[in-house]
Amino acid sequence: EFVDAPEKFFLSTISNKLQATVTMAVLDSLSTHAPDEEYLGNRVHANWTADDRAMAASLRFSKRLEEVEEIINMRNKDTKLKNRCGAGVVPYEVLVPTSPPGVT
């Protein structure tokens, strides 16, 4: 089909208006952070448990999240990664633990 009618094939791959609108609404909903969101590894209350092992594990997890965030930030700045730099490429923030409220 592509060889016979490439333009027709290309147009058949593009979403119609309804599909595009639904996709945009879902992506916006799934990628929007509320200002009062609590993230894994960031406890608002220090007294959430009295279990010392749980507290130590939570602290290790929080430290690892900070490391992951630094890795993401370093990759966002790495110009050798072609999918992270260039015209119209925005920084990857989906899994950044401290991303600001709004759409990531």
Side-chain angles (χ1 to χ4, degrees):
E1 182 180 352
F2 174 71
V3 174
D4 296 334
E7 291 174 359
K8 182 179 177 184
F9 178 79
F10 172 72
L11 292 174
S12 72
T13 65
I14 298 174
S15 303
N16 63 37
K17 288 180 187 177
L18 176 62
Q19 291 170 327
T21 303
V22 168
T23 300
M24 288 187 302
V26 169
L27 289 175
D28 182 62
S29 296
L30 293 177
S31 63
T32 300
H33 298 288
D36 61 344
E37 268 187 357
E38 291 185 29
Y39 295 98
L40 289 173
N42 295 332
R43 298 284 180 181
V44 175
H45 305 289
N47 60 348
W48 62 275
T49 183
D51 186 341
D52 290 337
R53 287 183 4 183
M55 290 293 283
S58 178
L59 185 61
R60 285 192 311 272
F61 181 72
S62 295
K63 295 292 183 199
R64 180 64 182 135
L65 283 179
E66 290 173 9
E67 293 170 11
V68 168
E69 182 170 357
E70 184 58 33
I71 291 168
I72 292 171
N73 290 333
M74 286 176 17
R75 289 180 182 174
N76 280 337
K77 295 175 187 172
D78 189 350
T79 57
K80 291 181 275 182
L81 299 174
K82 298 299 180 194
N83 64 335
R84 289 291 85 217
C85 63
V89 178
V90 297
Y92 178 84
E93 296 179 337
V94 175
L95 293 178
V96 175
T98 60
S99 60
V103 177
T104 56

